[in-house]
């Protein structure tokens, strides 16, 4: 199976940004994930499985989830010029055949 085109780096950026505002236990949990546990998330995405990072702070719980996506339908917008490929890719490959 091929590797996902993008890594869940947005989760890593958000976690790194919030880490300093959390209590010591949550900070440690996030840095462990950032240091090596994020590799498990990458492997899950490669297997077409979702991955989740949940951090419990003394004041709140924060959860990030990434799902592999094979197809995103173009949204319908009125009054805005859509790309020329909109009609060609309006449905997933399986539905076009």
């Amino acid at each position: 199976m091929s590797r996902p085109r993008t890594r869940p780096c947005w989760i890593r950026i958000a976690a790194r940004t919030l880490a300093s505002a959390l209590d010591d236990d949550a900070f440690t949990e996030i840095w462990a994930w950032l240091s090596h546990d994020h590799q498990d998330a990458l492997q899950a995405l490669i297997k077409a499985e979702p991955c989740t990072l949940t951090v419990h702070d003394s004041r709140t719980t924060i959860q990030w989830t990434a799902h592999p996506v094979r197809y995103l339908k173009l949204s319908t917008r009125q009054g805005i010029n859509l790309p020329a490929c909109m009609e060609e890719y309006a449905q997933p490959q399986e539905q076009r055949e």
Side-chain angles (χ1 to χ4, degrees), residues 36-86:
H36 52 81
D37 294 343
H38 72 278
Q39 295 297 324
D40 294 337
L42 291 175
Q43 291 304 312
L45 290 172
I46 289 169
K47 295 175 187 174
E49 300 169 354
C51 63
T52 301
L53 169 61
T54 304
V55 178
H56 302 282
D57 181 73
S58 60
R59 297 160 288 180
T60 189
T61 298
I62 302 168
Q63 183 175 61
W64 295 274
T65 303
H67 298 271
V69 176
R70 293 181 59 199
Y71 173 78
L72 292 176
K73 185 176 181 178
L74 292 172
S75 64
T76 303
R77 298 181 229 158
Q78 295 186 6
I80 298 174
N81 292 329
L82 294 173
C85 66
M86 196 219 46

Side-chain angles (χ1 to χ4, degrees), residues 20-48:
S20 62
L22 301 175
D23 62 30
D24 290 343
D25 290 339
F27 179 88
T28 302
E29 190 176 345
I30 284 180
W31 280 105
W33 189 85
L34 290 168
S35 299
H36 52 81
D37 294 343
H38 72 278
Q39 295 297 324
D40 294 337
L42 291 175
Q43 291 304 312
L45 290 172
I46 289 169
K47 295 175 187 174

